[in-house]
Amino acid sequence: MSADSEQRTIRCLIAKVGLDGHDRGAHVISRAFRDAGFEVIYSGLHRAPDEIIQATVQEDVDVLGISILSGAHNTLVPKVMDGLEEYGALDDTLVIVGGIIPEEDRPGLLEEGVDAIFGPGTPMQETIDFVKENAPERA
């Protein structure tokens, strides 16, 4: 058996939280992740933080990708992070955020536990490689 055939499939939830109706980036990254061999679940638009938390826990995903362009990242992302921590899912979930996140807001999100932030123009392969290198190991 080759190393590639032994490699597990990484499960990802791509989430659109809040009232943000711009989903092109979420669709693009979902397709890129799928093409990279990841299993991808897309939340759809206008999801409340609690819905994202529940989906993350119930689907037992390895990676939660939050796509947000509305400017509400400093309010919504911490709510998701708190909920994941409350359910004991934060330590075994890689959380990445994509979208328009001003440089001055990034340190606060990283302090909340976000593992990486990818802005517009980030090469898809960079994001894919980050996920492959950092997705939690599962038994």
Side-chain angles (χ1 to χ4, degrees):
M1 204 181 235
S2 73
D4 287 343
S5 63
E6 292 176 10
Q7 199 171 34
R8 69 179 178 83
T9 301
I10 297 171
R11 277 175 72 81
C12 304
L13 171 63
I14 303 300
K16 291 296 297 180
V17 65
L19 299 177
D20 182 359
H22 300 90
D23 63 350
R24 182 172 178 227
H27 285 281
V28 170
I29 198 68
S30 293
R31 280 190 298 274
F33 279 7
R34 180 202 61 203
D35 292 348
F38 302 165
E39 181 180 345
V40 179
I41 303 158
Y42 175 58
S43 72
L45 290 171
H46 310 300
R47 298 295 174 216
D50 286 343
E51 290 177 294
I52 301 306
I53 295 159
Q54 291 298 317
T56 301
V57 172
Q58 291 172 7
E59 294 290 346
D60 193 29
V61 298
D62 303 303
V63 180
L64 170 59
I66 301 172
S67 172
I68 191 159
L69 298 165
S70 66
H73 49 273
N74 284 334
T75 301
L76 297 173
V77 173
K79 287 181 181 181
V80 171
M81 302 305 287
D82 289 345
L84 291 177
E85 187 169 25
E86 186 177 313
Y87 276 92
L90 188 56
D91 289 341
D92 62 353
T93 306
L94 181 73
V95 179
I96 59 175
V97 174
I100 300 173
I101 310 296
E103 285 297 324
E104 62 268 17
D105 292 346
R106 292 176 180 225
L109 294 176
L110 295 170
E111 286 175 19
E112 287 284 340
V114 170
D115 294 291
I117 300 167
F118 299 96
T122 301
M124 289 295 158
Q125 194 60 51
E126 182 179 325
T127 308
I128 291 166
D129 290 344
F130 181 85
V131 169
K132 285 181 177 178
E133 292 167 12
N134 294 284
E137 295 291 326
R138 299 279 175 135

